[in-house]
Amino acid sequence: MNDSWNELWSDIADKLRVEPERLAALSDADKETIVDDFLSSNKDEIIADIMNLWEEYLDKVAPAQSSDTEEPDVDPPAPDSIQLKPQPEAVPETVPVIKQQSPPDIPTLPMQTPITGELMLRDKQLILPNGKVSQPYLVDCDAIRLQTNISDIHFLDLEKVGLKYDRPTRRITGIPQAAGEFTVVMRYRKPNKQDYSSRKITLIINPDPRSLWNPIDTPRSIEYYKEDSDKLFVAVEAEAEAKKDMAAASRRGRSHAQEGRPRDDDFALHYEDGWYIMVVADGAGSARYSRKGSEIACRKIVENCREQLALSREEFERAITAVHEEASDAANKAAGDILYSILGAAAFKAVAAIKEEAQLKGAALKDYATTLLAAICRKFSFGWFVGSFWVGDGGMGIYCRETNYLKVLGEPDGGEFAGQTRFLTMPEIIEPKELYNRLRIHIVPDFTALILMTDGVTDPKFETDANLKRIEKWHALWDDLAGKNDDGARVDFTDNNRESAPQLLRWLDFWSRGNHDDRTIAILF
Amino acid sequence: MRGEPIEAIKVGLETMVAALRQDPYALETVHLSMITFNRYPEQILPLTSLEQVQVPAIAQPAAGGTHLGEALEYVCKKVGEEVKKGDREQKGDWMPLLFILCDGRASDGQLFTQILPEVQRSHFGSIIVCLVGNKLQPENAKLLTDKIVHLDTTDGPTFRKFFAWVTVAVCEGNRSLGSTVGEPPLPPPPPEVNTVI
């Protein structure tokens, strides 16, 4: 303990009117706390004093220099060897002099909602709410004061977490900078006691989840290797008028990337003789070969639809025209039967192909479990025909922005719990009646987009089955795709825009809390 | 259980929570609830998101008796209240995983037998029983699940290894539960932990 410390101490003791006998009895730690206390409660006064000293110093040492244009070259000796920062928000006793030529370069981040709460007493333990890195922290300590009748609360070691205690408002504020479990000490006075008591409190700062994701490339050596992302644009060349094109993108989810596991989703697009074929599939996370299941399903649907359309296209187109002209049950039934022979049969054959692959591999069919959303479409003089088939979760719909039209092409197969669904590979799905019930036929004058999505997209964008049928949600999705999002991702749905596929792939990287599944989307626009 | 095992559980739980916080997916999705039981069950931590969890103190049992049946009844009740079921307007939670640490005894044998069907109906993604101590009675546990592990020793390091395994099981279950294709995969337990057949 040096002389200047003792001097400062007796000065403070004097100001605080501490009796000499009590002074002798105080431990160094207690003295420190009282000094600490004194310094922070008289902050403004002390800062004013320091500013005066600083100005005096400048006048004395560098009278020729204009103090507001340049800092002196050397650090000035601060009074009593305590270094100080000549700025009002300085914490006087600890912060070294910081020289700044220009304001700090702070990137502008969107302001996050602070974590709020209060210091609480539970089972005789003091509890501070958990904080999170980079998220403002605002915790009230007044309730505990009133509840327990303690006074002069302050904290040691909050600075190391990036927080501070504001005495006037009795709040802990700041933005934590590092994750971990920290021990902070709360100092306070019990009623009618002069001495300070202290209690240790564990303060947990959670990491920012975004900083923890660490993508690992899928090893190429695994069975059924699949690229971690995929995209495709199918341009339909126009002769007289602009024709709709197709774009699709598929991206491995962060939860898979974190563990170097492959993408389970897949898609396929095809255009031929006026017919558009679109398929997306989501391999089950718990099935070991589902990535192959989804791939075979997509490929086989396209192959089988092409084959069958080649045989029955004219008959089918006549039946569709009849649906438009007659609008009768009989006409609907006739067209439905042909759709069954095309898309229903394609789904059936896709399962057969997966079964064959499973047998070759010596694995079970359920190891290849996958969902399936498929649509075949064609433009007629009277409008667009869309035929579809859907098993599992995700979503598929015809959306028209101008007319507020939305047709969801089936029902998602959800369960009571997250992630529960049905798969193409379940035996009951390929029963003829079940297959037929999952087919849909629609004729619409025109539309903005026909969209097929796996649950990696519908879970974050629609959340519930009810929302999937709400036009506002589709408007929001379309706005989002067009650039109304935090990531600056934008898809240009203009005719023949080949860039739409890479744009879509980039858009799929959006951030949504807790939603990090594979994402696949296919759009006809 | 008394004394060192209880202390070890507390340390184990804290280690587990700290480890789970390092997994970004767990950090955003995992919720924890803790229930202790002796003569009575008590929920010492209501279902809380991992971000907000602080492992509470676990008191030494004051009353005798191991009312496993009553504890399970209480767990089922809490699952009914706190775990969200999906419907048209609400997104469902993931299926809960149930970890039971006990010596296998059920002082309330009759209630235990009565409650078993309700446990089966509660849709746990997995039930894992960890038998602790040396006077084990695995018969009851076998009625609950086939996933039974046994910790011979009740020292800290063994518990830490057990909780490390639980952590992996939680992370894994959290990703691939859901499908009705089959049971979610459970990683093999560490060598110190014996699986009861």
Side-chain angles (χ1 to χ4, degrees), chain A residues 10 48 63 159 210 220 276 332 352 389 518:
Chain A
S10 60
E159 290 78 14
R210 293 188 195 217
R220 287 182 180 264
Y276 296 79
N332 289 351
F389 177 78
D518 293 349

Side-chain angles (χ1 to χ4, degrees), chain B residues 123-139:
Chain B
H123 293 294
F124 289 104
S126 265
I127 299 177
I128 293 127
V129 177
C130 174
L131 296 171
V132 189
N134 39 24
K135 281 180 274 178
L136 295 181
Q137 299 186 2
E139 292 73 24

Side-chain angles (χ1 to χ4, degrees), chain A residues 1-21:
Chain A
M1 196 83 31
N2 60 35
D3 287 348
S4 63
W5 166 257
N6 280 333
E7 205 180 307
L8 175 68
W9 169 243
S10 60
D11 246 328
I12 292 167
D14 196 42
K15 278 196 177 173
L16 294 175
R17 284 181 230 106
V18 180
E19 291 85 354
E21 55 270 43

Side-chain angles (χ1 to χ4, degrees), chain A residues 127-128 130 206-207 209 212-213 259 261 286 416-421 426 459 464-466 470 514-516, chain B residues 21 24-25 27-28 51-54 85-86 88-95 123 175-176 178-181:
Chain A
I127 311 268
L128 278 170
N130 298 348
N206 285 309
L212 297 174
W213 292 110
E259 294 173 345
R261 294 196 300 179
S286 56
E416 274 188 325
F417 295 96
Q420 278 183 320
T421 190
M426 289 175 164
D459 275 356
T464 63
D465 293 354
R470 293 195 171 114
N515 291 307
H516 305 293
Chain B
R21 284 187 213 282
Y25 200 41
L27 191 55
E28 291 186 344
E51 281 195 337
Q52 292 169 338
V53 163
Q54 297 195 356
K85 297 269 176 65
R88 288 185 46 74
E89 293 288 353
Q90 174 176 280
K91 199 168 168 176
D93 286 336
W94 294 94
M95 278 190 221
H123 293 294
R175 283 172 194 21
S176 48
S179 80
T180 46
V181 170

Side-chain angles (χ1 to χ4, degrees), chain A residues 360-380:
Chain A
L360 275 175
K361 193 82 182 172
L365 181 58
K366 67 173 188 179
D367 291 333
Y368 294 77
T370 180
T371 70
L372 182 74
L373 297 103
I376 58 173
C377 333
R378 183 186 166 85
K379 189 173 192 294
F380 289 80

Side-chain angles (χ1 to χ4, degrees), chain A residues 191-254:
Chain A
N192 309 320
K193 290 242 171 100
Q194 276 297 308
D195 293 353
Y196 275 88
S197 304
S198 39
R199 288 281 284 274
K200 284 184 180 169
I201 308 176
T202 302
L203 173 57
I204 295 164
I205 304 295
N206 285 309
D208 180 351
R210 293 188 195 217
S211 70
L212 297 174
W213 292 110
N214 180 27
I216 301 167
D217 289 342
T218 306
R220 287 182 180 264
S221 55
I222 63 160
E223 298 170 282
Y224 300 134
Y225 173 80
K226 183 187 276 190
E227 294 288 338
D228 291 338
S229 70
D230 195 6
K231 59 183 189 305
L232 183 65
F233 177 75
V234 176
V236 177
E237 296 303 333
E239 285 154 23
E241 50 168 346
K243 284 190 174 165
K244 292 194 195 296
D245 304 312
M246 290 183 285
S250 181
R251 177 181 278 279
R252 184 172 61 144
R254 293 182 192 96

Side-chain angles (χ1 to χ4, degrees), chain A residues 149-222:
Chain A
N149 219 5
I150 57 174
S151 57
D152 279 352
I153 295 175
H154 62 282
F155 294 85
L156 307 180
D157 301 331
L158 270 180
E159 290 78 14
K160 71 184 175 194
V161 192
L163 299 173
K164 61 177 184 184
Y165 179 66
D166 185 50
R167 285 199 167 222
T169 55
R170 299 195 180 92
R171 287 200 300 205
I172 299 175
T173 62
I175 301 175
Q177 298 302 320
E181 277 192 35
F182 301 91
T183 304
V184 298
V185 177
M186 182 175 107
R187 313 257 314 168
Y188 58 95
R189 247 197 284 259
K190 290 179 182 163
N192 309 320
K193 290 242 171 100
Q194 276 297 308
D195 293 353
Y196 275 88
S197 304
S198 39
R199 288 281 284 274
K200 284 184 180 169
I201 308 176
T202 302
L203 173 57
I204 295 164
I205 304 295
N206 285 309
D208 180 351
R210 293 188 195 217
S211 70
L212 297 174
W213 292 110
N214 180 27
I216 301 167
D217 289 342
T218 306
R220 287 182 180 264
S221 55
I222 63 160

